[in-house]
Amino acid sequence: MMTTGTAEPRGQALAINNLSLEFPTFSGAVKALDDVSISVGKAEIVGIVGESGCGKSVTTMAATGLLPKGRYRVTGGTVRLFGHSTLSMDDSQLQDLRGKVVSTIFQEPMNALNPTIRIGRQLTDVIMRHEEVGPADARRIARDILADMLIGEPERVMNLYPFELSGGMRQRVLIAMAFSCNPGLIIADEPTTALDVTVQAVILRLIQNRARRTGTAVIFISHNVAVVSQLCDRLYVMYAGRIVEHGATRTVLETPQHPYTQALLRCLPERVAPKQELEAIPGAVPNLLQPPSGCYFQPRCKEAVEQCRSQTPQLTGADGQQVACWRRGVAVELPEQGGRR
Amino acid sequence: MTESVETMMRPVLEVSDLHVRFPASRNWLGRPTSHVHAVNGVNLTVRAGKSLGIVGESGCGKSTLAQAIIGLAPYEEGRVKIDGEDFQGAQGKQKRALRQKMQIVFQDPQSSLDRRLPVWRLISEPLHIRGGRSRAELHEKAEELAVAVGLRPEHLDRLPHEFSGGQRQRIAIARAISTDPELMVLDEPTSALDVSVQAQIINLLLKLQRERGLTYLLISHDVALVRHFCDDVAVMYLGQIVESGPADEVLRNPRHPYTQTLLAAAPSFESPLPDIAQVRAGELPNNRHLPDGCFYKQRCDRISGGCEAGQVLRRLSDSARHVRCHLAQA
């Protein structure tokens, strides 16, 4: 999984290898990503979790060429998206990929849809851009995929404008759009954060069912660990632009090894008796203009020793669970299993 | 906590048969011809020092209920009593006194704090409005409150944009507790925050409740948070309470079909993703024309005879909770 060679591993939808990226600002370079490696197998559902600003969206936006040109600098690493090296592609090449090879579902569907164009037209535009079909066939494809997203009366919905739909409907339209050209990889960037739990559950199911049936790989970006635990086969935990832990979802959530992952799970109210104090993580996320030396979590970590301050830990461990922590296996205290219900 | 048991059990908030509706359209005379029925007959009581959580989907009327309680949304039917006194019927000085007894913390501290005022002014503004304090006294009081919510005194002269979301929410909380309120309405206070910051804010609110005996009304869509934070919970659907009772009991073993759906859909570590059929997600019925009979019957999977009649919130014989469903009551 940590292959750094240039050969594309078989069966990989996306392979990000040692990607480092920074945003130049007047006060210096913000090191948004540092040595990030993520691999997504074909037909695999992979989660990226972390708090705001940890780089989870930047990673996938860099991989799909969605970051504003000239505002960022890639300082190392490679991205391979079904064999395409997206970092060196120009706009028109990227546009051929987007929608056809990779699609992104964003958090706020109202911002992702054009408010002045009817739903049907927005869908058929995407289909006709990538597939060799005429308007009538594109409409038929659009109708079928809307029906697949459990939208009743798809013909009627296609004649509506985005503002006439509820948030959950809009998000289903966007998912339909993302799946419409059968891409090999879907990136879902917090697709349900703005929705009610019942709608969220349906949307997650729709993504999961369709992805499993068509063999589409999914990267699911979320700050909600519980959602990721229900949906994803594997997950990556990010902190301040680095991956601190990754592995099979069950393994990582049941036996978290990195102190940050442990702290993240401990501060959830689910796992604590009512009215008991939650274990908040002291301090704040580091300023990436001047990141701390060594491990980025070290200033907030209870386990930190001298080595954590002087050397950056690398991800180590078997494929089932890899952790970037010097104290791993030394005195890492696991959260009480009894606290879970 | 030296107060006697009696004062501790005193209801700080009593809402009876509250209906809130907003005009949706008007005729040429400007008279409303149809209404949006946001809150449709809510009864609830919160005792001193306790927390009540209101959960429900967006559009169920939970925020309107909160606004009606603190006097931000007018209502024609029903009554809200703060500390035993009718709020809407109160006048002048008495009304102002009642208003000081309740405060609200909104979801988004970015938009609820005036971005041009320094922190000390923001925190002490409710006291300034009450009057009778000099600038120096207000500054001193602001410093005391800032420390109580975990801000540092040197933060007092800064502007809101210099703070993170969690710190801004601390400012909003300091402002809310400045008048020593009895009742704090918390409208999704941590929804915009990361979980580690949410934990800090929840800890702070629990600490303030222990120290000051505050009474909370928490509006939230996060079932796990309500179970952790609240003594009691009320589940709302289409402006009605469909189930209420001790939070742990209701959220562990829901009896109303809607509460069951809501809990099945809530993300959880223990259970897999529910099936689409199980969730029965649907739009809330149009609240311009309230449905006949049970409000939930269009989405309910256990529909039977008796659902055509209006449902009453009734106490179950075997527990301390109330359910608005004839099937659970049987």
Side-chain angles (χ1 to χ4, degrees), chain A residues 139 152-161 164-165 169:
Chain A
R139 244 189 125 72
E153 303 177 75
E155 277 292 347
R156 191 181 62 85
V157 171
M158 284 168 74
N159 284 321
L160 299 177
Y161 289 97
E164 297 177 271
L165 303 177
M169 287 274 269

Side-chain angles (χ1 to χ4, degrees), chain A residues 28-85:
Chain A
V30 176
K31 297 176 185 61
L33 299 179
D34 183 25
D35 208 12
V36 169
S37 296
I38 284 176
S39 71
V40 182
K42 285 178 182 157
E44 196 183 20
I45 302 184
V46 171
I48 304 180
V49 291
E51 297 179 275
S52 341
C54 72
K56 47 193 196 303
S57 296
V58 171
T59 306
T60 55
M61 286 172 84
T64 50
L66 286 174
L67 291 175
K69 288 268 173 298
R71 301 283 182 78
Y72 68 100
R73 232 180 356 242
V74 173
T75 52
T78 57
V79 174
R80 297 224 139 228
L81 180 68
F82 289 100
H84 305 279
S85 183

Side-chain angles (χ1 to χ4, degrees), chain B residues 122-159:
Chain B
L122 285 168
I123 294 179
S124 61
E125 201 176 22
L127 290 172
H128 175 68
I129 292 166
R130 186 188 270 183
R133 280 171 204 256
S134 71
R135 193 183 163 95
E137 280 171 335
L138 287 175
H139 199 285
E140 194 180 312
K141 185 75 185 164
E143 186 169 333
E144 185 187 307
L145 290 162
V147 171
V149 298
L151 293 168
R152 288 201 297 275
E154 66 261 31
H155 288 155
L156 285 174
D157 294 317
R158 297 190 191 165
L159 294 170

Side-chain angles (χ1 to χ4, degrees), chain B residues 46-200:
Chain B
V46 193
R47 297 192 185 281
K50 298 284 182 193
S51 309
L52 172 70
I54 310 265
V55 292
E57 290 170 287
S58 36
C60 74
K62 52 192 196 301
S63 285
T64 306
L65 173 65
Q67 291 180 1
I69 287 171
I70 64 164
L72 290 177
Y75 48 89
E76 286 150 30
E77 243 180 283
R79 193 185 284 268
V80 175
K81 280 183 173 179
I82 308 294
D83 236 357
E85 287 182 81
D86 183 16
F87 178 68
Q88 189 152 273
Q91 295 291 330
K93 239 185 199 160
Q94 192 198 1
K95 186 151 196 163
R96 210 176 311 151
L98 281 178
R99 214 174 247 149
Q100 302 266 351
K101 290 189 180 178
M102 48 191 175
Q103 288 289 348
I104 186 165
V105 176
F106 293 102
Q107 173 175 352
D108 181 10
Q110 177 100 43
S111 53
S112 62
L113 298 174
D114 188 332
R115 60 198 167 89
R116 289 165 304 181
L117 288 184
V119 169
W120 78 268
R121 285 278 307 275
L122 285 168
I123 294 179
S124 61
E125 201 176 22
L127 290 172
H128 175 68
I129 292 166
R130 186 188 270 183
R133 280 171 204 256
S134 71
R135 193 183 163 95
E137 280 171 335
L138 287 175
H139 199 285
E140 194 180 312
K141 185 75 185 164
E143 186 169 333
E144 185 187 307
L145 290 162
V147 171
V149 298
L151 293 168
R152 288 201 297 275
E154 66 261 31
H155 288 155
L156 285 174
D157 294 317
R158 297 190 191 165
L159 294 170
H161 74 87
E162 297 174 69
F163 294 88
S164 66
Q167 283 175 314
R168 276 194 217 122
Q169 206 56 302
R170 287 177 195 270
I171 297 170
I173 292 169
R175 177 184 164 94
I177 60 174
S178 64
T179 58
D180 246 328
E182 306 225 11
L183 175 70
M184 289 254 281
V185 175
L186 310 167
D187 192 353
E188 305 263 14
T190 59
S191 305
L193 305 175
D194 274 318
V195 282
S196 68
V197 183
Q198 163 172 295
Q200 296 171 4

